[in-house]
Amino acid sequence: MRNLLKDKKLSETPFRKEVLEVFGNYSNAISMSVIEKGLKDYNRITLYRTIKIFLEKGLIHEIALSGEPSNYALCDSTCSSELHQHQHVHFKCTLCETVTCVEVAEFPSLHLPNYQIEQLEIQASGICKVCLKKE
Amino acid sequence: MRNLLKDKKLSETPFRKEVLEVFGNYSNAISMSVIEKGLKDYNRITLYRTIKIFLEKGLIHEIALSGEPSNYALCDSTCSSELHQHQHVHFKCTLCETVTCVEVAEFPSLHLPNYQIEQLEIQASGICKVCLKKE
DNA sequence: TATTTTATTGCAACATTGTTGCATTTATTG
DNA sequence: CAATAAATGCAACAATGTTGCAATAAAATA
Ligand SMILES: [Mn+2]
Ligand SMILES: [Mn+2]
Ligand SMILES: [Zn+2]
Ligand SMILES: [Zn+2]
């Protein structure tokens, strides 16, 4: 297993490791409140600063949602301070409410006349594979 | 010109009209702070409630952005309390920072194995047509 | 149009979320 | 292990969002 903190040149502190563990406990993206519940004990300010620096250094990425708090998920190794490059779709299930990063065979492309597109972000919603099976 | 308030069965108040006027003054999506600057005088709480009910009734839609406040834009007439249905792309310019709703000839489609997609939301970023011309 | 009914507004008070300066503690470097 | 650099926790604050309730304004009714 990769050492995310060392890779991104961040000091290894017990708290940062614990936050990363929380992310590791989920296969989906998680909100701030889920992170908080997953921590034994925490200082609110330190947590904010931790999330902020994880975002900046490309350890995690933010998934902004309309009408509700953002979710966060681990990036893959290609992300850095310079560029978050994701070729995956963010899927929000309308039943179980989970947000998942879904890898996709061929990422859609788009051409807009008169616009120069540098990045595409796709958010899909509907029913996730877990909920589909339950039906 | 359509009467948005009556159409969506909302009381016509001077304040709501003024907020709609602010939206009308822009061809792009705007943030809460831009709305506030566009109003002569306003009560913070009333403004929140106004935005909230405009969202609920489908007069406006929210564009959630990572790391910065949401933007809002007028919906087209097809939107209602039940369903916001947009076949457009949200474009954020990395130069002028504006967020625009861009109509697109053919909206991309996506298939995810094991997922049932009900809605797609696409956010593109890059250089907008205004900034491209200036270069 | 006058009256009744219903909805909106503004105030006060509060809750949540996010930020900053600074001293203390901890991790990293050599 | 000592020196240095970085992270943490506290206090204080700022910004954002919410709720109950009385006053006011809009809509519906007669
Ligand atoms: Mn993702
Ligand atoms: Mn739009
Ligand atoms: Zn689900
Ligand atoms: Zn631009």
Side-chain angles (χ1 to χ4, degrees):
Chain A
M1 175 162 173
R2 228 152 28 87
N3 185 327
L4 294 171
L5 293 169
K6 270 192 182 154
D7 287 0
K8 299 294 161 65
K9 301 204 167 69
L10 283 173
S11 319
E12 284 191 274
T13 70
F15 185 69
R16 288 180 177 169
K17 286 187 207 164
E18 199 190 345
V19 172
L20 287 179
E21 261 178 53
V22 176
F23 278 103
N25 293 337
Y26 291 85
S27 55
N28 51 280
I30 52 180
S31 66
M32 207 57 165
S33 69
V34 170
I35 299 171
E36 290 176 38
K37 278 171 206 134
L39 295 167
K40 287 189 292 293
D41 183 30
Y42 68 98
N43 178 278
R44 215 171 55 87
I45 294 135
T46 305
L47 179 54
Y48 275 119
R49 290 198 269 228
T50 302
I51 294 301
K52 201 175 204 179
I53 205 164
F54 280 8
L55 286 168
E56 285 167 9
K57 298 281 182 168
L59 273 83
I60 62 174
H61 59 282
E62 181 180 356
I63 301 152
L65 303 163
S66 298
E68 56 194 306
S70 287
N71 275 35
Y72 302 91
L74 289 174
C75 289
D76 39 48
S77 48
T78 61
C79 291
S80 68
S81 321
E82 291 76 38
L83 184 66
H84 280 270
Q85 190 60 41
H86 301 124
Q87 290 294 76
H88 64 244
V89 170
H90 291 142
F91 190 93
K92 159 104 195 220
C93 179
T94 52
L95 295 180
C96 69
E97 308 267 280
T98 57
V99 175
T100 332
C101 302
V102 184
E103 294 302 328
V104 58
E106 44 186 325
F107 198 75
S109 71
L110 177 69
H111 176 74
L112 296 179
N114 307 315
Y115 287 83
Q116 183 181 311
I117 296 179
E118 278 156 15
Q119 248 183 342
L120 263 196
E121 214 179 305
I122 299 184
Q123 283 190 19
S125 63
I127 307 179
C128 78
K129 60 180 177 187
V130 178
C131 289
L132 272 178
K133 273 191 186 164
K134 283 186 191 157
E135 280 197 339
Chain B
M1 175 163 172
R2 227 151 28 86
N3 186 327
L4 294 171
L5 292 169
K6 271 193 182 153
D7 287 359
K8 299 294 162 68
K9 301 205 167 68
L10 284 173
S11 316
E12 284 191 273
T13 70
F15 185 70
R16 287 178 178 171
K17 286 187 207 163
E18 199 190 346
V19 173
L20 287 180
E21 262 179 50
V22 176
F23 278 103
N25 292 338
Y26 290 85
S27 55
N28 51 280
I30 52 180
S31 65
M32 207 59 165
S33 69
V34 170
I35 299 171
E36 290 175 37
K37 278 171 206 134
L39 295 167
K40 288 190 292 292
D41 183 30
Y42 69 97
N43 178 280
R44 215 169 55 86
I45 295 133
T46 305
L47 178 54
Y48 275 120
R49 290 198 270 228
T50 302
I51 294 301
K52 201 175 202 179
I53 205 165
F54 281 8
L55 286 168
E56 284 166 11
K57 298 281 182 169
L59 273 84
I60 62 175
H61 58 283
E62 181 180 356
I63 301 153
L65 303 163
S66 299
E68 57 194 305
S70 286
N71 275 36
Y72 303 91
L74 289 174
C75 289
D76 40 47
S77 48
T78 60
C79 290
S80 69
S81 320
E82 290 76 38
L83 184 66
H84 281 270
Q85 190 60 40
H86 301 123
Q87 291 294 75
H88 65 243
V89 169
H90 291 142
F91 190 93
K92 160 104 197 220
C93 180
T94 51
L95 295 180
C96 69
E97 308 268 280
T98 57
V99 176
T100 331
C101 302
V102 185
E103 295 300 329
V104 58
E106 44 186 327
F107 198 76
S109 71
L110 178 68
H111 176 74
L112 295 179
N114 307 314
Y115 287 83
Q116 184 180 312
I117 297 179
E118 277 155 17
Q119 246 183 341
L120 263 196
E121 212 179 305
I122 299 184
Q123 283 191 19
S125 63
I127 307 180
C128 78
K129 60 181 177 188
V130 178
C131 290
L132 273 178
K133 273 191 185 162
K134 283 186 192 159
E135 283 198 337

